[in-house]
Amino acid sequence: MRKVTDDERRDRIGLRHALATAAPGVEDAVRAVTCLHATEASSIYLSAYARSRAVRASISDALFGRRTVVRQLAMRRTVFAFPVDLFAAARGSASARVARQMTARLAKDAELAGIDDGPAWVADRCSEALAAIRDESGTTAQLRARIPELSTRIAAEGRPTVLAPVGSRVLSVLAAGGSVLRGENAGRWQTSRPVWTAVEQWLGEDPGVLEERAGYRELVRRWLWSFGPGTEDDLVWWLGATKTAVRRALDDVGATPALLEDGTPAWLHPDDQEEVRLDGDWAALLPTLDPTTMGWRRRDFYLGDHGPHLFDGAGNAGPTAWWNGRIVGTWTQQADGTVEVVAIDPLPRAAVRALDQEAAKLTAWFDGERVATGYVSPLIQGRVSRGAGASGR
């Protein structure tokens, strides 16, 4: 059984995640990490840029022109940007699990609001909304205006004393099921105002649904290549699935047992037996909830004891600065759009220079635009930017 050291794991991040050497295109950048986090609209662009150096127009073209990357509600009720050829696998496994959970919760809340048959009511609302979307795509607000039932107010999920229109929850159920997709964006690239579109209209045809077992197998196969070696707990967390589903998928993939540096049992892709080594230094600036930052449950080998500086109480990470496979700080924008790197500890001169160069490149890519995030690292909460540079002087 091969032991994979922490040094090798950090080299794997640089190579497999297209951070040490840029991917040739947007689609390759997405595949490098299996899929991109898309909770914040800007993160898709920033994650793709970090791995391919693509301009915003090329990233938008992949999303809305070529439509080779699709946004889909999936693992852990999170929106991801998937390569289109992985959509059917996610739709039948992780997304289907989320759809069942959301449907059941919505039906329960409907009955608490006095509706007699919650499941039937949800099914009717979903059918009406899907028919309306197939007739004409629309934003949530536009669909509520066309379908009065979507303005029915029931208890907001998790907030029983707050009443809210049911439209967004009905559309989320449809989106998790994959019958509708987040099509064009009615907002700017930094914001998310999806125009809900039937899947067959957005992609030209319905790509189908892999059954659950096959779907999990494909997700695990790709995750192992991008993130392996990983533990069973890493996969259970990343997929938001059960241990039974993960163990079955690992068996179906033919995953190879391995050991982490501390002796913890882990798994490798069956075609990934050779040692991976990387010559040379690398630096990267990654956005909020980037897949590299959020790819494992056990993060000590790249995070160390820096978690409290970068993650909130719910386990969400803000922007991160990386040096040779370790998170060493965060980054933010000043009022004029200039990117500033904020290190946690003093860094070597080579790291300072490399991260400041990355900050200059990202500043130019922003071209004066600023991006707000809902996940501000504790390290910079309340901080007044002083133009300190990567060393935090």
Side-chain angles (χ1 to χ4, degrees):
M1 190 180 298
R2 189 160 86 80
K3 179 176 284 189
V4 183
T5 66
D6 289 348
D7 282 342
E8 181 182 349
R9 297 183 79 188
R10 289 188 285 268
D11 285 349
R12 283 170 169 265
I13 289 176
L15 287 171
R16 294 285 170 83
H17 290 200
L19 295 173
T21 304
V26 175
E27 292 82 2
D28 301 284
V30 178
R31 291 191 187 96
V33 284
T34 302
C35 54
L36 300 181
H37 275 258
T39 300
E40 293 187 343
S42 61
S43 288
I44 303 176
Y45 287 82
L46 292 167
S47 290
Y49 161 76
R51 294 171 172 84
S52 67
R53 303 302 180 183
V55 298
R56 286 198 292 277
S58 294
I59 301 168
S60 292
D61 188 40
L63 288 166
F64 310 117
R66 299 191 304 275
R67 302 179 185 181
T68 51
V69 178
V70 295
R71 295 171 293 170
Q72 170 67 10
L73 191 63
M75 297 81 76
R76 308 185 312 279
R77 288 191 61 171
T78 299
V79 180
F80 290 88
F82 287 94
V84 71
D85 65 328
L86 190 54
F87 171 65
R91 186 182 182 187
S93 55
S95 293
R97 177 179 170 85
V98 169
R100 290 192 297 268
Q101 294 169 340
M102 296 176 69
T103 299
R105 182 59 185 267
L106 181 54
K108 180 178 179 181
D109 286 345
E111 290 178 352
L112 290 175
I115 294 169
D116 290 335
D117 188 339
W121 184 84
V122 172
D124 287 344
R125 300 293 81 74
C126 286
S127 295
E128 292 168 354
L130 180 57
I133 291 168
R134 284 174 171 159
D135 183 56
E136 181 181 356
S137 301
T139 64
T140 301
Q142 290 169 338
L143 291 166
R144 282 180 53 198
R146 289 163 50 194
I147 310 170
E149 290 81 0
L150 296 185
S151 294
T152 302
R153 300 175 72 86
I154 65 173
E157 187 171 2
R159 303 172 67 188
T161 62
V162 177
L163 298 182
V166 75
S168 61
R169 293 178 67 182
V170 169
L171 293 169
S172 292
V173 167
L174 288 174
S179 56
V180 303
L181 289 173
R182 292 162 172 82
E184 298 287 352
N185 184 15
R188 302 180 66 190
W189 69 273
Q190 310 100 315
T191 59
S192 181
R193 288 185 58 207
V195 177
W196 300 102
T197 306
V199 62
E200 67 275 11
Q201 294 170 346
W202 185 248
L203 296 179
E205 62 179 2
D206 190 323
V209 184
L210 286 187
E211 63 90 18
E212 182 178 19
R213 183 168 180 169
Y216 278 129
R217 180 179 65 236
E218 184 60 14
L219 287 174
V220 168
R221 186 183 71 84
R222 298 207 193 188
W223 184 93
L224 284 173
W225 185 259
S226 297
F227 294 91
T231 67
E232 180 183 291
D233 284 345
D234 288 331
L235 273 164
V236 168
W237 175 82
W238 186 80
L239 283 171
T242 64
K243 287 186 177 181
T244 299
V246 167
R247 289 170 181 170
R248 186 171 59 190
L250 286 167
D251 186 60
D252 289 345
V253 167
T256 302
L259 293 176
L260 303 183
E261 185 170 298
D262 64 1
T264 299
W267 298 92
L268 284 165
H269 189 285
D271 299 329
D272 188 17
Q273 304 308 307
E274 298 299 320
E275 184 179 19
V276 174
R277 285 302 182 192
L278 173 63
D279 294 325
D281 297 327
W282 62 274
L285 300 180
L286 302 182
T288 292
L289 299 174
D290 184 85
T292 300
T293 309
M294 303 295 295
W296 298 265
R297 185 174 186 177
R298 293 183 48 160
R299 301 167 179 146
D300 292 352
F301 75 99
Y302 64 91
L303 184 59
D305 60 0
H306 294 338
H309 297 290
L310 301 162
F311 285 77
D312 64 20
N316 299 307
T320 51
W322 291 71
W323 173 245
N324 289 343
R326 299 178 189 268
I327 296 179
V328 296
T330 185
W331 61 271
T332 186
Q333 281 185 284
Q334 300 180 29
D336 63 356
T338 300
V339 173
E340 176 190 3
V341 178
V342 183
I344 297 172
D345 298 317
L347 297 174
R349 289 183 180 274
V352 173
R353 287 194 298 269
L355 286 167
D356 281 347
Q357 289 171 2
E358 289 299 311
K361 293 175 183 176
L362 187 53
T363 297
W365 185 88
F366 276 122
D367 194 23
E369 296 195 65
R370 298 185 71 238
V371 171
T373 176
Y375 303 92
V376 179
S377 300
L379 182 63
I380 59 173
Q381 285 180 354
R383 174 187 170 86
V384 178
S385 295
R386 299 188 300 272
S391 63
R393 294 182 296 273

